[in-house]
Amino acid sequence: MSIGKVWVLAEADGDEVASAALELLTKAREIGDTVEAVYVGSSADAVAGVLGEHGATTVYAVDPGDSLSGAVGAAALEKLIGEHSPDLVMFDQSYDGRDAIAGLSARIDRTVLTNSADIRIDGDQVRATTAIFGGTQIVETAFEGEAPYLAAFRPKSFVAEPSGGAAAAVVAVDGVDAGRAGEAKVLDRHVEEAEGPKLEEAEVVVSGGRGLGEAEHYALVETLAKLLKGAPGASRAIVDAGWVPYSHQVGQTGKTVKPKVYIALGISGATQHLVGMKGADNIIAVNKDAEAPIFSVSDLGIVGDVHKVVPKLIEALEARA
Amino acid sequence: MNVVVCVKQIPDPAAPGALDSDNTLTREGKLILDESDSFGVEMALQLVDTAGEGEVTLVSMAPNNEVSGLRTALAMGAAKAVLISDEALAGTDALGTAKVLAKAVERVGDADLVLTSTESTDGYTGTIPTQIGQLLDWPALTFAKHIEVGDGKVTIQRQTEAGYDTVEAPLPAVASVTAGVVEPRYPSFKGIMAAKNKPVDEVTVADLGLDGQVGWSGAHQAITAVEAAPEREAGEKIEDEGDAHENIVSFLDELKVI
């Protein structure tokens, strides 16, 4: 089953298209007859190749200048939707993706389905699924009312595959006025964590929780992550406590990760956390509470003190390096 | 400076969640202040304190005229609250919720800044702050890990994957606050006592002029299925006797990640 026209808001960091955009384009090809991308940035010609290779025939490009990308994206989409009438617009569940879907929703008075893990066409309905209650239940929701439908997806919901298409035709979008939303200006950018893979793209994720005892002990997590060429993550508890920034949070109100190996250190495994990591291929947990729920999903569970086990593990790995 | 903080009163997140027969989240029993919102309340109190004038007003949409979570935030130091409670709100989607909250902000009047969390703990759609901004036609500065106000402008450090961006906008504006950015104060005994007498303006959907725009009919989405997710099997569990790290090394070896 398919629908007519599916759009993907494709995000990129400079020339580098986000992997989530390619995942969404791949899914869009499966459910849409026509697949097009909307891109907010100043490198449209540089990204048109890879977007085309993943199925976008056209990329509508708008330059946000120094305004927030999501705010300009929402305004551009409103204008473009009026001209081209897509049936479905797919967004990445990222910071800018969330801004864009939210702003657009209010602009064109459409509901949103976010945190989606899948989408399918059933007869004349478009239905998206999302995991709730710590991933124990899957809810499927159908859009009602008039298209376009707006849905945001957790990264890694789909596997990106090239279609071998030619570079997308670039259509510059001019005359976008974001109104007061566009008055939020980016003055400068601070890069703090240039090292290592991104949390959502890492093969190995090492996360820490309250069982670490204090903020300084998060260094154990970072050291182990670095040794395994992985990314450091965190439970909500230690983000709420201010030990690490929100960008590290794995879970329902944070990120969903699906690495080859997930290592949970001092994390009890509240449902809030489990939903964000139980899709990992392999899970290793270290926790001193033998009854911790994290052990119900772990392939290898160590009942022990992270402060004893992890330093020895780090030492053993360093010895092999 | 006047700051409005949107707060949600939710079932205790430590308790297992459940769905009612109409597939809405079960909200029976006592509701509590969403911990995510305690950061916005604290931030608002600090901003007003720094400005040296103004007050913090809470806005909350909840079933059954629930006020227990509001009392917590009032005890922290907020001056007053607007509570929107109405049977007509059952089934309202995120956009409908944003419409209610935006109208409530207008009802409060003279707000310079609206603060929210980045998403609620129970529903976590994560679109409300920007939707409120767009509905009010105010800029929305999202994912703030630091906020300053001065010279008629709000400046935030906006969380990014790589670090943060400094983002600025003229007031009035909306900002969403990430968790952990300030340490929420515990209500004092004096605060708790004072909170009992602070004004809570209880309003209905009709009071806000949103008849027919919220609730099930306004949501434009319908749950078609709820299914149990496939369970993950628990594997080996061993007690550390000083050498458990070797088991981890062997496991990582098998998986060829080292």
Side-chain angles (χ1 to χ4, degrees), chain B residues 24 50 92 110 168 223 238:
Chain B
T24 56
T50 303
T92 300
D110 73 359
E168 187 176 272
I223 291 177
I238 53 175

Side-chain angles (χ1 to χ4, degrees), chain A residues 99 105 109 111 115 136 138 140 142 185 187-190 192 236 246 255 278 280 290 298-299 301 303 312, chain B residues 36 93 99 119 124 131 142 161-162 164-166 168 221-222 224-225 227 229 232 235-238 240 242:
Chain A
D99 278 3
S105 154
D109 200 30
T111 196
N115 294 296
T136 55
I138 309 291
E140 185 180 68
K185 304 285 188 191
L187 302 185
D188 54 41
R189 297 178 188 277
H190 297 257
E192 289 171 340
R236 175 171 173 174
Y246 175 73
K255 290 179 172 142
K278 65 192 267 189
S298 61
D299 300 287
V303 182
K312 284 185 196 164
Chain B
S36 305
D93 67 346
K99 287 176 182 174
E119 66 254 297
Y124 60 100
Q131 286 170 328
T142 45
E161 292 303 332
Y164 67 88
D165 292 348
T166 305
E168 187 176 272
Q221 51 175 272
T224 46
E227 284 171 15
R232 202 185 162 106
E236 193 185 3
K237 184 162 82 172
I238 53 175
D240 177 37

Side-chain angles (χ1 to χ4, degrees), chain A residues 70-71 74-75 77-78 81 91 98-112 148 150 181, chain B residues 93-100 102 127-138 140 213:
Chain A
L77 278 163
E78 180 184 16
I81 285 165
F91 299 79
R98 280 167 60 172
D99 278 3
I101 190 173
L104 178 62
S105 154
R107 283 174 181 274
I108 66 173
D109 200 30
R110 293 291 191 284
T111 196
V112 298
L150 313 181
Chain B
D93 67 346
L95 180 58
T97 304
K99 287 176 182 174
V100 168
T127 53
I128 300 264
T130 304
Q131 286 170 328
I132 293 173
Q134 191 59 47
L135 291 165
L136 291 170
D137 196 21
W138 295 2
Q213 295 182 52

Side-chain angles (χ1 to χ4, degrees), chain A residues 68 93-96 98-103 105-107 109-115 125 127 130-133 135-146 154 178-194 198-200 203-204 227-228 236 239-242 244-247 249 252-255 260-261 263 271-272 275 277-284 286 290-291 295-305 308-309 312-313 316-317 320, chain B residues 13-19 25-26 34-37 39 93-95 99 117-132 134-143 145 155 157-173 178-184 213 216-253 255-258:
Chain A
L68 273 180
Q93 187 85 23
S94 61
Y95 301 123
D96 290 340
R98 280 167 60 172
D99 278 3
I101 190 173
S105 154
R107 283 174 181 274
D109 200 30
R110 293 291 191 284
T111 196
V112 298
L113 292 177
T114 63
N115 294 296
Q125 279 192 328
R127 298 179 175 187
T130 186
I132 62 164
F133 300 146
T136 55
Q137 295 193 53
I138 309 291
V139 174
E140 185 180 68
T141 308
F143 285 101
E144 293 182 334
E146 276 180 67
R154 293 260 178 169
R180 281 218 65 213
E183 291 178 16
K185 304 285 188 191
V186 180
L187 302 185
D188 54 41
R189 297 178 188 277
H190 297 257
V191 176
E192 289 171 340
E193 303 146 30
K198 286 184 186 165
L199 185 53
E200 287 149 303
E203 282 271 288
V204 178
L227 273 170
L228 296 170
R236 175 171 173 174
V239 172
D240 280 1
V244 293
Y246 175 73
S247 57
Q249 187 172 321
Q252 184 170 285
T253 54
K255 290 179 172 142
K260 187 169 173 187
V261 185
I263 304 179
T271 52
Q272 153 75 231
V275 70
M277 46 65 80
K278 65 192 267 189
D281 294 344
N282 300 280
I283 296 171
I284 301 172
V286 183
E291 303 305 314
F295 291 126
S296 68
V297 299
S298 61
D299 300 287
L300 174 61
I302 308 292
V303 182
D305 185 347
K308 290 185 180 148
V309 178
K312 284 185 196 164
L313 176 60
L317 292 172
R320 292 167 58 110
Chain B
L19 294 177
L25 193 64
T26 301
D34 188 341
E35 200 179 334
S36 305
D37 291 325
F39 303 104
D93 67 346
L95 180 58
K99 287 176 182 174
S117 65
T118 52
E119 66 254 297
S120 64
T121 300
D122 60 345
Y124 60 100
T125 308
T127 53
I128 300 264
T130 304
Q131 286 170 328
I132 293 173
Q134 191 59 47
L135 291 165
L136 291 170
D137 196 21
W138 295 2
L141 298 79
T142 45
F143 307 103
K145 49 191 259 173
T155 309
Q157 290 178 359
R158 181 175 188 262
Q159 182 76 58
T160 63
E161 292 303 332
Y164 67 88
D165 292 348
T166 305
V167 181
E168 187 176 272
L171 297 172
T178 66
V181 296
V182 282
E183 193 172 351
Q213 295 182 52
W216 291 111
S217 62
H220 297 300
Q221 51 175 272
I223 291 177
T224 46
V226 180
E227 284 171 15
E231 294 248 359
R232 202 185 162 106
E233 300 254 328
E236 193 185 3
K237 184 162 82 172
I238 53 175
E239 198 86 33
D240 177 37
E241 284 167 3
D243 55 3
H245 62 283
E246 289 170 13
N247 298 68
I248 300 179
V249 173
S250 311
F251 192 63
L252 293 173
D253 242 339
L255 299 171
K256 296 187 169 44
V257 295
I258 52 173

